[in-house]
Amino acid sequence: AQSVTQLDSHVSVSEGTPVLLRCNYSSSYSPSLFWYVQHPNKGLQLLLKYTSTATLVKGINGFEAEFKKSETSFHLTKPSAHMSDAAEYFCVVTPWNTGFQKLVFGTGTRLLVSP
Amino acid sequence: NAGVTQTPKFQVLKTGQSMTLQCAQDMNHEYMSWYRQDPGMGLRLIHYSVGAGITDQGEVPNGYNVSRSTTEDFPLRLLSAAPSQTSVYFCASSYRDRPLETQYFGPGTRLLVL
């Protein structure tokens, strides 16, 4: 079965410092991987997605993620945190072999950004 | 396009009551789904539909019912509400057979069962 593990439930950073949110995946097939963000009391917004054409994926708002098959990881990074980045982030996997998107969510990482 | 819309935004129910959460999309997406979000558990798939007249169970289907009579609408019914169904419910839609296509989420319905 496909699954993702988000290694940190909370990450705290100072504004202007780098952000690292960790995600490991488990999949028997070549997976599709996504990062979604949820701001307080809002719906989910797609940050970026892994399309298997490039291991380094760039998303919105300066975020990027690197797919590492050897480590089964898809960590999310940003060089410099902004106060508006404070939100909950979900790593998501969907198996390639299905004809539709049955998204499997990680448990989420709450990013706290202090001034 | 309005995207994915959900009503109501917030609802309080008593144990045993029934209700329907509405979801609609205007993007002509074949695939629609319902998730519930609980603290520390991420989002879990309740039911999904790959087209009008076709529905299937997800990870946590018990206590919920769905139907898909049109492409646009995918209502979620709580047959007899229980406190364990207190949660935030999200509807999502996307094109079928496009696993890399973005899945669009509605704003959510916050449900409290007393």
Side-chain angles (χ1 to χ4, degrees), chain B residues 11-22:
Chain B
Q11 182 72 46
V12 179
L13 289 179
K14 295 181 179 179
T15 297
Q17 287 184 313
S18 63
M19 79 159 294
T20 299
L21 280 63
Q22 302 291 345

Side-chain angles (χ1 to χ4, degrees), chain A residues 41-95:
Chain A
N41 299 313
K42 296 289 180 64
L44 287 97
Q45 180 184 19
L46 180 69
L47 269 181
L48 50 82
K49 56 187 176 184
Y50 170 64
T51 63
S52 77
T53 57
T55 57
L56 184 63
V57 182
K58 294 188 183 299
I60 62 172
N61 300 334
F63 284 94
E64 61 183 37
E66 186 171 7
F67 176 75
K68 292 186 176 181
K69 188 174 182 179
S70 60
E71 299 176 9
T72 61
S73 69
F74 191 57
H75 300 335
L76 182 70
T77 60
K78 183 174 181 177
S80 177
H82 192 273
M83 295 296 292
S84 61
D85 294 329
E88 187 147 24
Y89 292 79
F90 293 96
C91 182
V92 181
V93 67
T94 184

Side-chain angles (χ1 to χ4, degrees), chain B residues 8 12 14 17 19-20 37 39 51 53 55 57-58 67 82-83 87 93 96 105-106 109 114:
Chain B
V12 179
K14 295 181 179 179
Q17 287 184 313
M19 79 159 294
T20 299
Q37 182 179 25
T55 64
Q57 296 180 349
S67 60
S87 187
S93 74
R96 185 181 177 180
F105 284 83
T109 293
L114 302 175

Side-chain angles (χ1 to χ4, degrees), chain B residues 36-102:
Chain B
R36 60 177 289 174
Q37 182 179 25
D38 302 294
M41 301 188 74
L43 278 76
R44 292 179 292 167
L45 183 64
I46 305 171
H47 284 285
Y48 64 95
S49 169
V50 299
I54 307 171
T55 64
D56 206 347
Q57 296 180 349
E59 183 184 354
V60 287
N62 292 342
Y64 307 95
N65 205 354
V66 293
S67 60
R68 184 95 179 269
S69 56
T70 67
T71 300
E72 295 78 20
D73 301 297
F74 190 44
L76 178 72
R77 297 182 185 84
L78 278 70
L79 308 173
S80 177
S84 61
Q85 294 178 304
T86 293
S87 187
V88 182
Y89 293 85
F90 289 98
C91 179
S93 74
S94 67
Y95 290 110
R96 185 181 177 180
D97 296 330
R98 300 186 192 182
L100 300 180
E101 189 76 21
T102 298

